[in-house]
Amino acid sequence: MDTIVWNWDSIDVFKALFSLVLGVILGLEREMKDKAAGLRTITIISLGSTLFTIMSYKIGIATETETTRIASYIVSGIGFLGAGVIFKDEVSINGLTTASIIWVAAAIGMSVGFGQYGSALIFFGATLLIIHAGNWLNKNLPSPTTHKILEVKFEKNQRLQEELLYHIQNICESWYIKHRMKEGEMFVLFIEIKIKTKNQKQLVKYLLQNDNLKYFKF
């Protein structure tokens, strides 16, 4: 019996270390991009999911009940934490990628807790791949289009607005003004645009060279 307990303890330590390493790597990626959920948050989520899964399995075996009962609540519970990093900034939404990483970090931690190391590594690698390759794919796929919110600020002048919208119309696939506001002597427009990826540099170049614009942001 002592040998059995020792073996289980050894496996648990390995699971914790394995989950720690994967969590740290995912967390570092978010930390380097200065996201709300960084190194500590993602690592703790991974470790916590692993611990809940281990305890769920052990309690289930000891009491001869369902071994996934506790672990199943991780799926719903982690959603509340992920929702906390999603926020709306004017007309754009931020934090969706970080919330998704929180979700997958919990799933990876659960895989480690159940001893599915191969699955954990595969999905860990796939997550890192899509995080880093996503932007490259968007820029290099044949004529892809993307939707963005363009925020521009300029002096109150109808001619400047018409000139700006004229150039946007020539560069973008489509556009429309979602929101407009006044800030003192300035106009601020929030324009939703549909633009081909290859034309984004052309749009940025025009905006940078437009001396009448006080500020712009995608």
Side-chain angles (χ1 to χ4, degrees):
M1 184 65 180
D2 291 338
T3 304
I4 295 175
V5 173
W6 173 252
N7 287 339
W8 268 103
D9 288 342
S10 299
I11 293 172
D12 293 344
V13 171
F14 174 77
K15 289 178 179 178
L17 293 175
F18 196 76
S19 180
L20 174 66
V21 170
L22 299 186
V24 165
I25 296 173
L26 278 180
L28 277 174
E29 191 281 331
R30 293 288 88 187
E31 191 78 31
M32 290 187 293
K33 294 182 178 177
D34 196 27
K35 300 299 180 179
L39 174 63
R40 290 176 296 180
T41 304
I42 300 297
T43 304
I44 290 171
I45 288 169
S46 180
L47 284 171
S49 298
T50 301
L51 177 58
F52 272 123
T53 305
I54 291 172
M55 296 309 299
S56 179
Y57 184 81
K58 284 191 170 185
I59 292 172
I61 292 295
T63 60
E64 297 183 351
T65 58
E66 174 58 52
T67 58
T68 61
R69 181 176 297 176
I70 297 175
S72 64
Y73 288 102
I74 298 173
V75 179
S76 56
I78 203 67
F80 291 98
L81 189 58
V85 301
I86 300 174
F87 62 94
K88 193 171 185 294
D89 179 16
E90 295 293 346
V91 293
S92 60
I93 299 176
N94 299 293
L96 291 173
T97 301
T98 300
S100 300
I101 291 175
I102 286 175
W103 187 52
V104 79
I108 290 170
M110 290 179 67
S111 296
V112 174
F114 279 121
Q116 302 299 313
Y117 309 115
S119 297
L121 279 175
I122 289 171
F123 283 91
F124 169 76
T127 301
L128 285 182
L129 178 64
I130 197 62
I131 290 172
H132 292 286
N135 289 334
W136 183 88
L137 288 172
N138 285 335
K139 293 177 181 178
N140 292 277
L141 285 174
S143 301
T145 58
T146 182
H147 288 83
K148 290 183 176 292
I149 300 296
L150 172 62
E151 178 185 348
V152 291
K153 181 188 290 188
F154 52 91
E155 293 181 0
K156 293 179 181 178
N157 187 308
Q158 186 64 29
R159 182 186 61 82
L160 294 179
Q161 178 174 320
E162 291 175 355
E163 178 186 322
L164 171 67
L165 295 178
Y166 172 77
H167 282 87
I168 289 176
Q169 179 179 345
N170 288 337
I171 298 172
C172 300
E173 297 288 293
S174 62
W175 64 273
Y176 76 94
I177 299 174
K178 293 196 67 172
H179 182 61
R180 67 178 78 210
M181 56 186 290
K182 294 180 180 180
E183 288 187 1
E185 297 300 317
M186 296 288 176
F187 270 134
V188 182
L189 297 181
F190 296 90
I191 308 169
E192 181 169 315
I193 59 174
K194 180 181 178 182
I195 185 172
K196 289 186 177 181
T197 304
K198 64 182 181 181
N199 292 338
Q200 289 189 55
K201 289 184 179 180
Q202 180 184 352
L203 178 60
V204 172
K205 183 179 179 180
Y206 162 71
L207 295 172
L208 287 172
Q209 292 178 345
N210 191 334
D211 295 331
N212 295 313
L213 293 181
K214 303 300 181 183
Y215 169 87
F216 75 89
K217 181 180 75 171
F218 280 111

